[in-house]
């Protein structure tokens, strides 16, 4: 067992005398109190693992008082020949006065160990609850805010504007969103340097007809690159920012089939650049991966809106090009 059980004996029952003698023999940290009030008051400044109650103090009101303590200990009943009536119902952990010294010591140590394990489990449960609480977890707040902004997005630039909210939790200087054709060429690009805050600019890409190797990045996985080490695409990253940079991270999204007339399957790549000589850390990767779902859905929505707009424009131009009057008739050749 990790450490000795810290014990407080509460009461003046003769059964406690036997427990006190054993605890002293095994050098357990020990205190004894005549009444429960003093024991509870001392628990705040000097917490123990176990309260060993005598039979005369084993009442429901006393158990409730112990349960309300911030540093709540385990409760063990020092029992003799007769058990209190409440103990027959509650079935507490027991230490019998006629046990051997080794048995009493073992029960005290075991009770303390179970109590410590329970405290660790409670702490883990509390951490898990707080981790999924919107009020206490900034990452969930971030994704919620991002989803809200993505819902209203109608253009690719709106999505990059939503991504800028990441600056509250991930430190980066420049951000670029690239829309790629199926052959790897850049169909559209948007960029936002840190100096412009939330103002976006259309990215003027050198040699736009040249395919970019960013199209080969794994979908949904964060890729790290640096200016000093050739990452995926070598110097290809230089084409998508207007400032010198040191480190960057990127994530690719698949957009499915684009509108009619485009070059096959399209994809999008979000690239974040950092100018300082400080690399991104694992927490930054994790936060960027959390945005994958909302951004992927929003990108699909924008692609669909553009496809609908393109089809509507083509439909209107077709009818606008017909000089003769048109009528719509039903199966009986009646003008509708």
């Amino acid at each position: 067992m990790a450490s000795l059980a810290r014990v407080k004996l509460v009461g003046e029952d003769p059964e406690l005398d036997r427990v006190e003698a054993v605890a002293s023999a095994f050098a357990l940290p020990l205190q004894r109190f005549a009444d429960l009030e003093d024991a509870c008051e001392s628990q705040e400044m000097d917490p123990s693992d176990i309260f060993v109650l005598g039979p005369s103090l084993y009442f429901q009101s006393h158990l409730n008082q112990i349960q309300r303590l911030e540093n709540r200990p385990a409760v063990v009943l020092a029992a003799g020949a007769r058990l209190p009536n409440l103990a027959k119902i509650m079935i507490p952990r027991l230490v019998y006065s006629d046990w051997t010294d080794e048995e009493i010591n073992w029960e005290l140590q075991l009770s303390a160990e179970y109590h410590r394990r329970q405290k660790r489990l409670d702490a883990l449960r509390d951490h898990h609850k707080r981790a999924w609480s919107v009020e206490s977890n900034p990452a969930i707040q971030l994704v919620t805010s991002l989803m809200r902004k993505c819902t209203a997005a109608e253009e690719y630039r709106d999505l990059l504007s939503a991504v800028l909210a990441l600056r509250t939790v991930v430190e980066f200087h420049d951000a670029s969103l690239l829309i790629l054709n199926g052959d790897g060429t850049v169909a559209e690009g948007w960029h936002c340097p840190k100096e412009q805050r939330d103002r976006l600019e259309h990215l003027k890409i050198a040699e736009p007809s040249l395919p970019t190797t960013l199209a080969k990045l794994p979908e949904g996985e964060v890729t790290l690159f640096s200016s000093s080490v050739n990452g995926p695409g070598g110097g290809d990253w230089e084409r998508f920012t207007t400032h010198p940079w040191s480190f960057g991270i990127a994530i690719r999204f698949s957009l499915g089939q684009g509108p009619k007339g485009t070059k096959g399957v399209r994809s999008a790549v979000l690239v974040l650049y950092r100018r300082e000589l400080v690399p991104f850390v694992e927490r930054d990767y994790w936060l960027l991966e959390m945005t994958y779902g909302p951004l992927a859905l929003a990108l699909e929505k924008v692609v669909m809106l553009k496809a609908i707009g393109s089809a509507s424009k083509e439909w209107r131009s077709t009818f606008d090009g017909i000089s003769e009057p048109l009528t719509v008739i039903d199966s009986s050749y009646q003008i509708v």
Side-chain angles (χ1 to χ4, degrees), residues 153-161 177 179 188 190 200 255 259 266 268 298-299 302-304 306:
E154 296 182 355
E155 298 286 342
Y156 293 123
R157 60 176 297 161
D158 299 335
L159 298 176
L160 183 57
S161 179
L177 180 64
I179 310 302
E188 187 176 340
W190 292 92
L200 308 182
L255 303 184
R266 297 157 64 93
L299 283 164
V302 173
V303 170
M304 187 62 65
K306 286 186 172 293

Side-chain angles (χ1 to χ4, degrees), residues 271-327:
V271 189
L272 306 181
Y273 295 92
R274 180 177 287 177
R275 302 175 193 172
E276 299 172 350
L277 290 172
V278 180
F280 290 94
V281 296
E282 185 176 355
R283 177 177 177 270
D284 301 329
Y285 309 159
W286 174 68
L287 289 170
L288 187 58
E289 285 180 347
M290 286 188 68
T291 66
Y292 175 80
L295 281 175
L297 291 174
L299 283 164
E300 290 283 358
K301 170 192 167 185
V302 173
V303 170
M304 187 62 65
L305 289 175
K306 286 186 172 293
I308 294 173
S310 177
S312 177
K313 185 183 296 184
E314 183 178 346
W315 180 263
R316 285 197 303 270
S317 63
T318 299
F319 279 90
D320 290 344
I322 300 175
S323 58
E324 300 296 331
L326 296 176
T327 58

Side-chain angles (χ1 to χ4, degrees), residues 177-220:
L177 180 64
L178 311 172
I179 310 302
L180 308 180
N181 293 315
D183 59 1
T185 57
V186 180
E188 187 176 340
W190 292 92
H191 181 64
C192 181
K194 185 176 182 179
E195 292 78 8
Q196 295 188 9
R197 296 189 178 181
D198 296 335
R199 290 181 298 169
L200 308 182
E201 60 183 24
H202 199 279
L203 189 60
K204 297 179 180 178
I205 302 171
E207 302 181 62
S209 60
L210 181 66
T212 172
T213 53
L214 271 63
K216 299 179 181 179
L217 294 177
E219 181 183 352

Side-chain angles (χ1 to χ4, degrees), residues 144-183:
T144 304
S145 174
L146 192 67
M147 290 178 66
R148 191 180 302 114
K149 293 180 179 180
C150 288
T151 302
E154 296 182 355
E155 298 286 342
Y156 293 123
R157 60 176 297 161
D158 299 335
L159 298 176
L160 183 57
S161 179
V163 169
L164 296 180
L166 281 171
R167 280 186 173 143
T168 59
V169 289
V170 179
E171 185 179 351
F172 62 91
H173 296 90
D174 308 321
S176 296
L177 180 64
L178 311 172
I179 310 302
L180 308 180
N181 293 315
D183 59 1

